[in-house]
Amino acid sequence: MDISSLLGGGSKALIGLDISSSAVKLVELSEASSKQYRLERYAIEPLPRDAVTDGNISSLEAVADAIRRAWKRLGSGTRQVALALPAPSVITKKIFLPAGLREVEMEVQVESEANQYIPFAIDEVNLDFQVLGYAPGSEEEVEVLIAASRKEKVEDRVAAAEAAGLKALVMDVESFASLAAFNLIQSRLPEAGKGKVIAMVDIGAQMMKVTILRDQNVVYSREQAFGGNLLTQDIARNYGMSFEEAEAAKRSNSLPENFEHDLLRPFMDSVGLEVSRALQFFFTSTQFNQVDHIVLSGGCAVIPGVDQIVSSRTQVTTEVANPFAGMALSQKVRPKSLATDAPALMLACGLALRRFDA
Ligand SMILES: Nc1ncnc2c1ncn2[C@@H]1O[C@H](COP(=O)(O)OP(=O)(O)OP(=O)(O)O)[C@@H](O)[C@H]1O
Ligand SMILES: [Mg+2]
């Protein structure tokens, strides 16, 4: 994969492919009209435990198998995918360069800038840049976003997609792609959330990621080890199940009656507590002292009532993310399944949106 695709987009058919710790997720969007997207199809295929840990692919074979199965079930005509690297694997930096440089001149400048702050040799790195626009209050300089990551991180993901017969066209950064999906949600808030401080909280299997935004700008972000795996482990321990059995039982609601009181409620309470702690951290480490709205995503956001618990703990209105809420749905998509899957599809949706980038 060449330099220019680390952040690049395109207008060709493209599927969003999220390789996360518990599953491989695919989303394909189209344009229903110039003002509306349509969800054509999606697929989620669970991954064996430990196939992906801390954003690293530990078992290429297991990941490639899951991608292959997911793509088959998806039933799409395209094999081109947009992938993303976890934010911690990518160094990003904004720099200013003189306006009007040619592409090659810019590449040279970007490389020499990158040399100064990237902690590894430049030939071990995938480097990309994107011109964001004129520098604030200037017409002589442009603001340029540089993204750099270790080649092996990029290559692992590309290799997994290729081993499954797919072609990686775009390599994004997870946090950027999630923001693209979040923008869809934000555009439906009153006054599109203008001037409001909004916390995006994603609680997946391993990680809880908190991103706080004001007027589309990220003012704070933090991630910590906390997620649904804790509950799955409790289920496995309590009912003498394997991790996989526990995970399946949890998702299909087929657990003994005491589950809700003994395990689920305490887990939901700890979700509320962790979110409220995360906001406290945000207040103590910034000049902010309030959050106006919380948007919960990730598989743990699906637990019925978890939004109320978060809202009463934090005293902040809380909604469960549905990036597809304003979209048309193709007939292949079952609304009922989508309702439980949507909160975990933010990243895959954000990646699928890359096909519409100019
Ligand atoms: N209906 C449900 N009820 C309870 N928990 C659920 C449900 N659906 C999914 N989960 C939990 O959500 C978690 C998976 O969420 P998600 O798909 O967002 O994780 P991920 O993106 O793979 O993980 P991470 O972002 O941590 O890498 C699992 O722990 C799963 O058990
Ligand atoms: Mg996730």
Side-chain angles (χ1 to χ4, degrees):
M1 182 176 297
D2 69 354
I3 277 179
S4 62
S5 58
L6 188 59
L7 290 170
S11 58
K12 302 178 203 80
L14 197 62
I15 301 167
L17 165 53
D18 167 12
I19 302 173
S20 47
S21 70
S22 73
V24 158
K25 306 167 193 176
L26 295 175
V27 168
E28 187 174 358
L29 302 176
S30 67
E31 262 172 327
S33 70
S34 62
K35 286 200 184 71
Q36 199 189 26
Y37 297 118
R38 174 166 55 222
L39 173 58
E40 287 295 333
R41 39 179 84 83
Y42 74 93
I44 302 174
E45 190 66 32
L47 279 171
R49 213 182 165 196
D50 300 331
V52 176
T53 41
D54 298 330
N56 295 315
I57 296 180
S58 337
S59 167
L60 185 80
E61 208 172 312
V63 173
D65 276 351
I67 297 175
R68 202 176 295 116
R69 280 196 301 273
W71 188 78
K72 243 186 160 159
R73 272 208 288 123
L74 187 72
S76 170
T78 178
R79 291 177 178 271
Q80 309 192 108
V81 294
L83 293 159
L85 288 170
S89 306
V90 185
I91 298 171
T92 56
K93 194 176 158 66
K94 285 181 189 168
I95 60 168
F96 295 106
L97 292 178
L101 289 182
R102 285 182 299 131
E103 186 87 4
V104 262
E105 293 168 331
M106 224 169 228
E107 275 173 26
V108 173
Q109 294 270 357
V110 164
E111 268 207 28
S112 85
E113 283 281 339
N115 255 324
Q116 296 169 30
Y117 65 87
I118 293 174
F120 19 84
I122 201 86
D123 58 354
E124 292 170 23
V125 164
N126 271 78
L127 194 61
D128 189 21
F129 65 93
Q130 206 173 48
V131 178
L132 299 174
Y134 282 108
S138 161
E139 281 180 12
E140 277 108 60
E141 280 192 323
V142 286
E143 193 170 19
V144 179
L145 175 67
I146 309 183
S149 93
R150 287 189 93 108
K151 274 205 171 104
E152 71 215 37
K153 303 267 184 197
V154 174
E155 283 161 4
D156 275 359
R157 281 173 190 247
V158 171
E162 280 177 359
L166 306 183
K167 187 173 177 350
L169 272 201
V170 174
M171 184 62 74
D172 206 327
V173 182
E174 289 186 356
S175 51
F176 295 173
S178 299
L179 278 183
F182 175 76
N183 281 336
L184 293 180
I185 292 174
Q186 188 173 28
S187 64
R188 292 195 312 273
L189 292 175
E191 281 187 83
K194 200 162 173 281
K196 299 278 188 252
V197 180
I198 299 170
M200 253 174 91
V201 180
D202 185 281
I203 309 178
Q206 287 190 343
M207 298 301 267
M208 167 167 135
K209 297 178 191 125
V210 177
T211 311
I212 300 184
L213 297 125
R214 190 175 58 182
D215 293 332
Q216 325 257 344
N217 293 315
V218 175
V219 293
Y220 176 86
S221 74
R222 189 167 186 273
E223 54 179 79
Q224 67 186 88
F226 175 80
N229 279 354
L230 295 172
L231 177 57
T232 307
Q233 275 153 12
D234 276 348
I235 295 171
R237 206 177 303 121
N238 259 267
Y239 301 112
M241 294 176 177
S242 71
F243 185 88
E244 285 72 23
E245 288 165 345
E247 178 67 30
K250 176 195 195 181
R251 287 179 186 248
S252 63
N253 270 322
S254 56
L255 284 157
E257 218 174 291
N258 66 352
F259 162 66
E260 203 169 321
H261 174 270
D262 292 357
L263 303 180
L264 185 61
R265 265 320 280 215
F267 177 74
M268 290 166 79
D269 287 336
S270 58
V271 168
L273 186 65
E274 291 300 336
V275 175
S276 108
R277 277 196 187 139
L279 297 191
Q280 291 305 323
F281 268 122
F282 164 60
F283 298 144
T284 50
S285 49
T286 63
Q287 81 279 25
F288 290 89
N289 51 24
Q290 91 166 44
V291 164
D292 299 301
H293 193 65
I294 295 173
V295 179
L296 272 188
S297 63
C300 294
V302 177
I303 302 172
V306 78
D307 47 339
Q308 280 102 302
I309 290 193
V310 167
S311 158
S312 71
R313 254 284 177 189
T314 57
Q315 295 296 307
V316 177
T317 57
T318 302
E319 73 171 298
V320 176
N322 178 1
F324 308 108
M327 293 190 194
L329 302 182
S330 88
Q331 286 174 342
K332 282 157 290 202
V333 175
R334 288 171 38 216
K336 207 165 162 232
S337 311
L338 183 64
T340 49
D341 293 331
L345 291 172
M346 289 286 281
L347 175 51
C349 173
L351 287 169
L353 284 169
R354 291 302 183 216
R355 80 177 284 187
F356 309 113
D357 284 358

